[in-house]
Amino acid sequence: MQGTREAQEAYDDEQGRGAGRRALLGAAVLGAGGAVLGLPGAARADERTAARHSGGGYRSLPVPTIIGHRGASGYRPEHTLGSYQLALDLGAHVIEQDLVPTKDGHLVCRHENEIGGTTDVSAHAEFADRKVTKVVDGVSITGWFTEDFTLAELKTLRAKERIPGTRQRNTLYDGRWEIPTFEEVLRWADKEGRKRGKQVWLHIETKHPTYFRKLGLGLEEPLAKLLRKYGRHKKNSPVFLQSFEPSSIQRLDRLVDSPGVVLLSGAATRPYDFVEAGDPRTVADLIKPEGLAWIASFAQGIGPTLDLIIPRDASGNLTTPTTLVADAHAEDLILHPYTMRNENSFLPANFRKGTDANAYGDAFGAFKVYFETGIDGIFTDNADTGLLAHADFVNR
């Protein structure tokens, strides 16, 4: 039951319901396996996409780009070298890391700084007294937090599957991998790049940057230092830098030339740095043309929740696409929305199969509909599924 609850919470986090949706296009999404109809100038859109992605750097990536979300987290415990390696072996074009700090200032790869759900820390009696309740970005959370551990202490822990009720098979790998530092990932990427004869692309997120800066553990400066050390600080470097807090991308934009991406949650939400600064704007404001123009002044892309691309109705079915793709492209911003997963519980209702929430639904049908909106890439827990959908789409 616990795993099922966590799966639902993960789903709820990423669906971002709320007011302020963008104006709708006249296209319609028809049933499971349906297609988006009536998108204007499909051939011209293909030509514009090719033009946008000519040249070097991120413009040279395949479109739509398949991004391994936390590695291959549909098959291995997330944010482990095992998960990253499998995503790369499956053929993911880009692989994601989320960064949080240790007590002694190292950057490690975890989706959250609370690690009770993704490591075996609760089984370590020596760390029992580290369990505390904290308020992170306005939310009260009880557990164990990376900022209360040195790197040496974190290295005694082992990773485990975050949603075992949904992904029972992934629990086979519980305890196999430790928490990787970001520098270890950079070394791994360089090694794999040399072996394969091509650079390994990374999509790097700063987690809760305002919260950590107030603790004296700012993320951007040590991240920029590592990017420079490993030659990934340039305009055409094989990295994306992403954050739900625009000010983090602004700060990184002053430190390095690597491309930046502003992540966008539900339309009614506010970035936490906006909350702290008293900025009244919501995501609904940021996805208006004037908001996108502001983002384009310091970033090269946006990473919206998929519901900002195609909203769902009260039953969970896809409705009609918004104008966000066209509006972002008008500002020369690329779009890397999140997150596609194969399980029924995560798919739009009109792409689910059967009654088992953990069974796979019609993920290929859902990928197709999202690709037809003109997005430049997509985060997915299942890179192999995404790559087959990519091949179907580009060879149609």
Side-chain angles (χ1 to χ4, degrees):
M1 291 296 294
Q2 178 74 5
T4 301
R5 179 183 64 79
E6 290 176 351
Q8 186 61 47
E9 288 175 348
Y11 170 82
D12 290 341
D13 287 344
E14 299 204 351
Q15 296 317 306
R17 306 284 181 236
R21 297 295 188 197
R22 301 288 292 119
L24 300 179
L25 295 171
V29 177
L30 304 178
V36 177
L37 303 178
L39 290 176
R44 293 195 302 276
D46 287 344
E47 292 170 3
R48 288 194 296 271
T49 297
R52 279 200 311 276
H53 290 273
S54 60
Y58 66 91
R59 299 290 188 184
S60 64
L61 283 167
V63 179
T65 304
I66 302 302
I67 305 160
H69 185 236
R70 311 177 195 173
S73 52
Y75 310 113
R76 300 290 187 272
E78 65 191 32
H79 290 309
T80 58
L81 286 177
S83 183
Y84 299 151
Q85 184 68 53
L86 181 57
L88 186 62
D89 291 343
L90 290 173
H93 302 136
V94 186
I95 299 170
E96 184 196 34
Q97 296 76 46
D98 294 328
L99 303 185
V100 293
T102 66
K103 183 178 182 179
D104 47 349
H106 295 275
L107 298 180
V108 295
C109 300
R110 291 287 88 188
H111 177 58
E112 290 293 340
N113 52 324
E114 198 292 301
I115 54 175
T118 62
T119 73
D120 63 355
V121 64
S122 64
H124 286 251
E126 69 273 26
F127 297 137
D129 62 348
R130 305 281 178 96
K131 187 176 184 179
V132 295
T133 298
K134 297 189 178 190
V135 177
V136 181
D137 292 1
V139 178
S140 181
I141 304 170
T142 299
W144 292 263
F145 298 82
T146 60
E147 64 267 26
D148 296 331
F149 291 77
T150 65
L151 178 59
E153 289 173 330
L154 284 181
K155 284 294 187 179
T156 67
L157 307 179
R158 290 298 179 268
K160 68 178 185 179
E161 172 57 34
R162 181 177 60 86
I163 47 174
T166 300
R167 293 172 172 168
Q168 247 181 325
R169 293 178 179 178
N170 292 13
T171 63
L172 173 66
Y173 306 99
D174 285 358
R176 180 169 288 271
W177 294 290
E178 61 185 29
I179 297 175
T181 68
F182 181 55
E183 184 161 21
E184 287 170 343
V185 172
L186 288 169
R187 291 172 181 163
W188 165 82
D190 281 357
K191 178 182 176 182
E192 288 293 326
R194 289 191 298 270
K195 184 167 66 175
R196 295 162 187 263
K198 62 179 181 179
Q199 295 175 313
V200 174
W201 277 79
L202 306 177
H203 220 305
I204 307 155
E205 181 181 349
T206 57
K207 303 293 295 191
H208 311 297
T210 294
Y211 167 83
F212 285 122
R213 185 163 292 279
K214 291 173 74 173
L215 295 179
L217 293 169
L219 301 173
E220 294 85 3
E221 290 79 9
L223 171 55
K225 184 178 180 180
L226 285 172
L227 292 173
R228 290 185 176 278
K229 180 177 179 180
Y230 288 87
R232 290 176 177 255
H233 61 290
K234 302 174 184 177
K235 178 181 178 181
N236 290 333
S237 293
V239 295
F240 294 96
L241 307 178
Q242 55 174 338
S243 183
F244 280 100
E245 296 187 17
S247 62
S248 184
I249 301 303
Q250 289 176 312
R251 188 180 295 273
L252 285 165
D253 185 50
R254 293 191 291 268
L255 294 170
V256 293
D257 295 325
S258 315
V261 174
V262 174
L263 298 172
L264 301 168
S265 189
T269 65
R270 291 167 67 199
Y272 194 71
D273 54 343
F274 284 18
V275 174
E276 286 281 306
D279 188 327
R281 289 178 295 172
T282 64
V283 167
D285 296 310
L286 295 182
I287 59 177
K288 294 176 181 176
E290 55 268 33
L292 293 169
W294 176 72
I295 290 173
S297 69
F298 59 87
Q300 288 66 50
I302 59 172
T305 178
L306 284 166
D307 278 2
L308 295 177
I309 305 295
I310 310 178
R312 303 187 191 190
D313 64 20
S315 299
N317 296 300
L318 293 184
T319 58
T320 53
T322 69
T323 62
L324 181 55
V325 174
D327 292 344
H329 284 167
E331 295 297 336
D332 203 30
L333 292 167
I334 61 170
L335 296 95
H336 287 170
Y338 64 94
T339 303
M340 266 294 297
R341 298 177 167 105
N342 288 356
E343 292 90 356
N344 279 323
S345 58
F346 301 117
L347 288 169
N350 44 331
F351 292 95
R352 297 171 192 163
K353 289 183 176 181
T355 58
D356 183 352
N358 299 328
Y360 282 5
D362 181 17
F364 289 116
F367 269 113
K368 180 175 183 287
V369 170
Y370 287 124
F371 288 165
E372 286 177 334
T373 65
I375 59 175
D376 301 278
I378 195 165
F379 286 85
T380 176
D381 288 9
N382 309 88
D384 52 344
T385 309
L387 286 160
L388 284 171
H390 165 101
D392 290 344
F393 183 72
V394 299
N395 294 321
R396 68 196 187 285

Short mmCIF file of all heavy atoms in Angstrom, two decimals, residues 63-105:
data_model
loop_
_atom_site.label_atom_id
_atom_site.label_comp_id
_atom_site.label_asym_id
_atom_site.label_seq_id
_atom_site.Cartn_x
_atom_site.Cartn_y
_atom_site.Cartn_z
N VAL A 63 15.29 14.94 -32.89
CA VAL A 63 14.00 15.50 -32.49
C VAL A 63 12.89 14.53 -32.87
O VAL A 63 12.86 14.08 -34.02
CB VAL A 63 13.77 16.87 -33.17
CG1 VAL A 63 12.42 17.44 -32.78
CG2 VAL A 63 14.88 17.84 -32.81
N PRO A 64 12.00 14.20 -31.95
CA PRO A 64 12.01 14.61 -30.55
C PRO A 64 13.09 13.90 -29.74
O PRO A 64 13.32 12.70 -29.91
CB PRO A 64 10.61 14.23 -30.06
CG PRO A 64 10.16 13.14 -30.97
CD PRO A 64 10.78 13.42 -32.30
N THR A 65 13.74 14.64 -28.89
CA THR A 65 14.81 14.12 -28.04
C THR A 65 14.22 13.25 -26.93
O THR A 65 13.26 13.65 -26.26
CB THR A 65 15.60 15.29 -27.42
OG1 THR A 65 16.08 16.13 -28.46
CG2 THR A 65 16.75 14.79 -26.57
N ILE A 66 14.80 12.08 -26.73
CA ILE A 66 14.35 11.17 -25.67
C ILE A 66 15.30 11.32 -24.48
O ILE A 66 16.49 11.04 -24.58
CB ILE A 66 14.31 9.72 -26.16
CG1 ILE A 66 13.39 9.60 -27.37
CG2 ILE A 66 13.86 8.80 -25.03
CD1 ILE A 66 11.95 10.05 -27.14
N ILE A 67 14.73 11.79 -23.36
CA ILE A 67 15.52 12.08 -22.16
C ILE A 67 15.24 11.02 -21.11
O ILE A 67 14.08 10.82 -20.71
CB ILE A 67 15.17 13.48 -21.62
CG1 ILE A 67 15.36 14.54 -22.71
CG2 ILE A 67 16.02 13.80 -20.39
CD1 ILE A 67 14.61 15.83 -22.44
N GLY A 68 16.27 10.32 -20.67
CA GLY A 68 16.13 9.30 -19.63
C GLY A 68 15.87 9.95 -18.29
O GLY A 68 16.80 10.48 -17.67
N HIS A 69 14.64 9.89 -17.82
CA HIS A 69 14.21 10.56 -16.59
C HIS A 69 14.78 9.85 -15.36
O HIS A 69 14.42 8.71 -15.07
CB HIS A 69 12.68 10.55 -16.55
CG HIS A 69 12.08 11.30 -15.41
ND1 HIS A 69 11.20 10.71 -14.52
CD2 HIS A 69 12.21 12.59 -15.02
CE1 HIS A 69 10.81 11.61 -13.64
NE2 HIS A 69 11.42 12.76 -13.91
N ARG A 70 15.72 10.51 -14.71
CA ARG A 70 16.43 9.92 -13.56
C ARG A 70 17.16 8.64 -13.99
O ARG A 70 17.35 7.73 -13.19
CB ARG A 70 15.48 9.66 -12.40
CG ARG A 70 14.58 10.84 -12.05
CD ARG A 70 13.60 10.53 -10.96
NE ARG A 70 12.54 11.55 -10.91
CZ ARG A 70 11.46 11.50 -10.15
NH1 ARG A 70 11.30 10.48 -9.32
NH2 ARG A 70 10.55 12.44 -10.18
N GLY A 71 17.54 8.60 -15.25
CA GLY A 71 18.17 7.42 -15.82
C GLY A 71 17.12 6.56 -16.50
O GLY A 71 16.30 7.04 -17.27
N ALA A 72 17.15 5.26 -16.19
CA ALA A 72 16.12 4.34 -16.68
C ALA A 72 15.28 3.92 -15.48
O ALA A 72 15.24 2.75 -15.10
CB ALA A 72 16.76 3.13 -17.36
N SER A 73 14.59 4.87 -14.89
CA SER A 73 13.93 4.62 -13.60
C SER A 73 12.71 3.72 -13.72
O SER A 73 12.16 3.31 -12.70
CB SER A 73 13.56 5.95 -12.94
OG SER A 73 12.83 6.79 -13.82
N GLY A 74 12.29 3.42 -14.95
CA GLY A 74 11.25 2.41 -15.11
C GLY A 74 11.75 1.00 -14.87
O GLY A 74 10.95 0.07 -14.72
N TYR A 75 13.09 0.83 -14.81
CA TYR A 75 13.69 -0.50 -14.73
C TYR A 75 14.72 -0.65 -13.62
O TYR A 75 15.09 -1.77 -13.27
CB TYR A 75 14.37 -0.84 -16.06
CG TYR A 75 13.49 -0.60 -17.26
CD1 TYR A 75 13.79 0.39 -18.19
CD2 TYR A 75 12.34 -1.36 -17.47
CE1 TYR A 75 12.99 0.62 -19.29
CE2 TYR A 75 11.52 -1.14 -18.57
CZ TYR A 75 11.85 -0.14 -19.48
OH TYR A 75 11.04 0.08 -20.56
N ARG A 76 15.24 0.43 -13.09
CA ARG A 76 16.27 0.39 -12.04
C ARG A 76 15.99 1.49 -11.03
O ARG A 76 15.40 2.51 -11.36
CB ARG A 76 17.67 0.62 -12.63
CG ARG A 76 18.12 -0.40 -13.68
CD ARG A 76 18.40 -1.75 -13.08
NE ARG A 76 18.98 -2.67 -14.06
CZ ARG A 76 18.29 -3.45 -14.89
NH1 ARG A 76 16.96 -3.42 -14.85
NH2 ARG A 76 18.91 -4.25 -15.75
N PRO A 77 16.43 1.33 -9.78
CA PRO A 77 16.28 2.41 -8.81
C PRO A 77 16.88 3.71 -9.35
O PRO A 77 17.99 3.73 -9.88
CB PRO A 77 17.06 1.89 -7.59
CG PRO A 77 16.94 0.40 -7.69
CD PRO A 77 17.02 0.12 -9.17
N GLU A 78 16.12 4.78 -9.24
CA GLU A 78 16.45 6.04 -9.88
C GLU A 78 17.74 6.66 -9.32
O GLU A 78 18.12 6.43 -8.19
CB GLU A 78 15.30 7.03 -9.71
CG GLU A 78 15.03 7.42 -8.27
CD GLU A 78 13.73 8.19 -8.08
OE1 GLU A 78 12.77 7.92 -8.84
OE2 GLU A 78 13.68 9.05 -7.20
N HIS A 79 18.35 7.46 -10.19
CA HIS A 79 19.56 8.21 -9.83
C HIS A 79 20.64 7.32 -9.21
O HIS A 79 21.23 7.62 -8.16
CB HIS A 79 19.23 9.37 -8.89
CG HIS A 79 18.48 10.48 -9.58
ND1 HIS A 79 18.90 11.04 -10.76
CD2 HIS A 79 17.32 11.12 -9.25
CE1 HIS A 79 18.04 11.99 -11.12
NE2 HIS A 79 17.08 12.03 -10.25
N THR A 80 20.90 6.22 -9.90
CA THR A 80 22.04 5.37 -9.59
C THR A 80 22.86 5.22 -10.86
O THR A 80 22.35 5.43 -11.97
CB THR A 80 21.60 3.97 -9.11
OG1 THR A 80 20.80 3.36 -10.15
CG2 THR A 80 20.79 4.05 -7.83
N LEU A 81 24.11 4.86 -10.72
CA LEU A 81 24.92 4.62 -11.93
C LEU A 81 24.34 3.47 -12.74
O LEU A 81 24.45 3.45 -13.97
CB LEU A 81 26.38 4.36 -11.55
CG LEU A 81 27.17 5.59 -11.10
CD1 LEU A 81 28.58 5.19 -10.67
CD2 LEU A 81 27.23 6.65 -12.19
N GLY A 82 23.68 2.53 -12.07
CA GLY A 82 23.01 1.46 -12.80
C GLY A 82 21.87 1.97 -13.65
O GLY A 82 21.67 1.52 -14.79
N SER A 83 21.11 2.91 -13.12
CA SER A 83 20.00 3.51 -13.86
C SER A 83 20.51 4.34 -15.03
O SER A 83 19.98 4.27 -16.15
CB SER A 83 19.15 4.36 -12.92
OG SER A 83 18.03 4.90 -13.59
N TYR A 84 21.55 5.14 -14.79
CA TYR A 84 22.13 5.95 -15.86
C TYR A 84 22.72 5.08 -16.97
O TYR A 84 22.55 5.35 -18.16
CB TYR A 84 23.21 6.88 -15.31
CG TYR A 84 22.74 7.87 -14.27
CD1 TYR A 84 23.61 8.33 -13.28
CD2 TYR A 84 21.44 8.36 -14.26
CE1 TYR A 84 23.20 9.24 -12.32
CE2 TYR A 84 21.02 9.27 -13.29
CZ TYR A 84 21.91 9.71 -12.33
OH TYR A 84 21.51 10.62 -11.37
N GLN A 85 23.43 4.02 -16.56
CA GLN A 85 24.07 3.16 -17.55
C GLN A 85 23.02 2.47 -18.42
O GLN A 85 23.19 2.39 -19.65
CB GLN A 85 24.92 2.10 -16.84
CG GLN A 85 25.70 1.19 -17.79
CD GLN A 85 26.81 1.93 -18.52
OE1 GLN A 85 27.64 2.58 -17.90
NE2 GLN A 85 26.81 1.85 -19.85
N LEU A 86 21.95 1.99 -17.81
CA LEU A 86 20.93 1.32 -18.60
C LEU A 86 20.26 2.29 -19.56
O LEU A 86 20.02 1.95 -20.73
CB LEU A 86 19.88 0.68 -17.69
CG LEU A 86 18.77 -0.08 -18.42
CD1 LEU A 86 19.35 -1.17 -19.32
CD2 LEU A 86 17.76 -0.66 -17.43
N ALA A 87 19.98 3.51 -19.12
CA ALA A 87 19.39 4.50 -20.02
C ALA A 87 20.28 4.75 -21.22
O ALA A 87 19.81 4.84 -22.36
CB ALA A 87 19.13 5.80 -19.26
N LEU A 88 21.58 4.85 -20.97
CA LEU A 88 22.53 5.07 -22.06
C LEU A 88 22.57 3.86 -22.97
O LEU A 88 22.55 3.98 -24.21
CB LEU A 88 23.92 5.36 -21.49
CG LEU A 88 25.00 5.74 -22.49
CD1 LEU A 88 24.65 7.03 -23.22
CD2 LEU A 88 26.35 5.88 -21.80
N ASP A 89 22.61 2.66 -22.39
CA ASP A 89 22.65 1.43 -23.19
C ASP A 89 21.37 1.26 -24.02
O ASP A 89 21.42 0.72 -25.13
CB ASP A 89 22.85 0.22 -22.29
CG ASP A 89 24.23 0.16 -21.66
OD1 ASP A 89 25.14 0.87 -22.15
OD2 ASP A 89 24.40 -0.59 -20.67
N LEU A 90 20.25 1.71 -23.49
CA LEU A 90 18.99 1.63 -24.24
C LEU A 90 18.96 2.61 -25.40
O LEU A 90 18.16 2.45 -26.32
CB LEU A 90 17.80 1.90 -23.31
CG LEU A 90 17.49 0.82 -22.27
CD1 LEU A 90 16.41 1.29 -21.31
CD2 LEU A 90 17.06 -0.48 -22.95
N GLY A 91 19.82 3.65 -25.32
CA GLY A 91 19.91 4.60 -26.42
C GLY A 91 19.36 5.98 -26.13
O GLY A 91 19.21 6.80 -27.06
N ALA A 92 19.05 6.30 -24.87
CA ALA A 92 18.55 7.63 -24.54
C ALA A 92 19.48 8.70 -25.09
O ALA A 92 20.71 8.57 -25.01
CB ALA A 92 18.41 7.78 -23.03
N HIS A 93 18.90 9.74 -25.64
CA HIS A 93 19.71 10.83 -26.21
C HIS A 93 20.35 11.69 -25.12
O HIS A 93 21.43 12.25 -25.32
CB HIS A 93 18.84 11.72 -27.10
CG HIS A 93 18.16 10.99 -28.22
ND1 HIS A 93 16.84 11.18 -28.55
CD2 HIS A 93 18.63 10.04 -29.07
CE1 HIS A 93 16.52 10.40 -29.57
NE2 HIS A 93 17.59 9.70 -29.90
N VAL A 94 19.65 11.84 -24.00
CA VAL A 94 20.09 12.67 -22.88
C VAL A 94 19.69 11.94 -21.60
O VAL A 94 18.67 11.24 -21.57
CB VAL A 94 19.44 14.07 -22.91
CG1 VAL A 94 20.01 14.97 -21.82
CG2 VAL A 94 19.60 14.73 -24.27
N ILE A 95 20.49 12.10 -20.54
CA ILE A 95 20.20 11.42 -19.27
C ILE A 95 20.15 12.46 -18.16
O ILE A 95 21.03 13.32 -18.05
CB ILE A 95 21.27 10.36 -18.97
CG1 ILE A 95 21.25 9.30 -20.10
CG2 ILE A 95 21.01 9.68 -17.63
CD1 ILE A 95 22.39 8.34 -20.06
N GLU A 96 19.13 12.37 -17.31
CA GLU A 96 18.88 13.39 -16.29
C GLU A 96 19.52 13.07 -14.96
O GLU A 96 19.53 11.92 -14.52
CB GLU A 96 17.37 13.57 -16.08
CG GLU A 96 17.06 14.70 -15.11
CD GLU A 96 15.65 14.67 -14.57
OE1 GLU A 96 15.09 13.57 -14.38
OE2 GLU A 96 15.11 15.75 -14.30
N GLN A 97 20.00 14.13 -14.29
CA GLN A 97 20.45 14.07 -12.90
C GLN A 97 19.75 15.17 -12.11
O GLN A 97 19.59 16.29 -12.61
CB GLN A 97 21.97 14.26 -12.76
CG GLN A 97 22.82 13.19 -13.40
CD GLN A 97 22.89 13.34 -14.90
OE1 GLN A 97 23.08 14.44 -15.41
NE2 GLN A 97 22.68 12.25 -15.60
N ASP A 98 19.36 14.87 -10.89
CA ASP A 98 18.87 15.87 -9.93
C ASP A 98 19.93 16.03 -8.86
O ASP A 98 20.45 15.03 -8.36
CB ASP A 98 17.56 15.42 -9.28
CG ASP A 98 16.41 15.32 -10.27
OD1 ASP A 98 16.38 16.11 -11.22
OD2 ASP A 98 15.54 14.46 -10.06
N LEU A 99 20.22 17.28 -8.49
CA LEU A 99 21.33 17.53 -7.57
C LEU A 99 20.86 18.13 -6.25
O LEU A 99 20.06 19.08 -6.22
CB LEU A 99 22.34 18.49 -8.21
CG LEU A 99 22.95 18.06 -9.54
CD1 LEU A 99 24.03 19.05 -9.96
CD2 LEU A 99 23.52 16.64 -9.47
N VAL A 100 21.37 17.55 -5.17
CA VAL A 100 21.18 18.08 -3.82
C VAL A 100 22.55 18.05 -3.13
O VAL A 100 23.44 17.29 -3.53
CB VAL A 100 20.15 17.27 -3.02
CG1 VAL A 100 18.75 17.42 -3.63
CG2 VAL A 100 20.54 15.80 -2.93
N PRO A 101 22.75 18.87 -2.09
CA PRO A 101 24.07 18.93 -1.44
C PRO A 101 24.17 18.05 -0.20
O PRO A 101 23.17 17.70 0.44
CB PRO A 101 24.19 20.40 -1.06
CG PRO A 101 22.79 20.79 -0.70
CD PRO A 101 21.89 19.97 -1.61
N THR A 102 25.39 17.71 0.14
CA THR A 102 25.68 17.08 1.42
C THR A 102 26.03 18.16 2.43
O THR A 102 26.21 19.34 2.09
CB THR A 102 26.87 16.12 1.30
OG1 THR A 102 28.06 16.88 1.02
CG2 THR A 102 26.65 15.10 0.20
N LYS A 103 26.14 17.75 3.68
CA LYS A 103 26.50 18.67 4.75
C LYS A 103 27.84 19.35 4.48
O LYS A 103 28.05 20.53 4.82
CB LYS A 103 26.56 17.90 6.08
CG LYS A 103 26.85 18.72 7.31
CD LYS A 103 26.82 17.83 8.54
CE LYS A 103 27.07 18.63 9.82
NZ LYS A 103 27.01 17.74 11.03
N ASP A 104 28.76 18.58 3.85
CA ASP A 104 30.09 19.14 3.59
C ASP A 104 30.22 19.66 2.16
O ASP A 104 31.33 19.79 1.63
CB ASP A 104 31.18 18.13 3.91
CG ASP A 104 30.93 16.73 3.37
OD1 ASP A 104 29.80 16.46 2.91
OD2 ASP A 104 31.85 15.90 3.41
N GLY A 105 29.11 19.97 1.51
CA GLY A 105 29.15 20.75 0.28
C GLY A 105 29.33 19.98 -1.01
O GLY A 105 29.54 20.61 -2.06
#
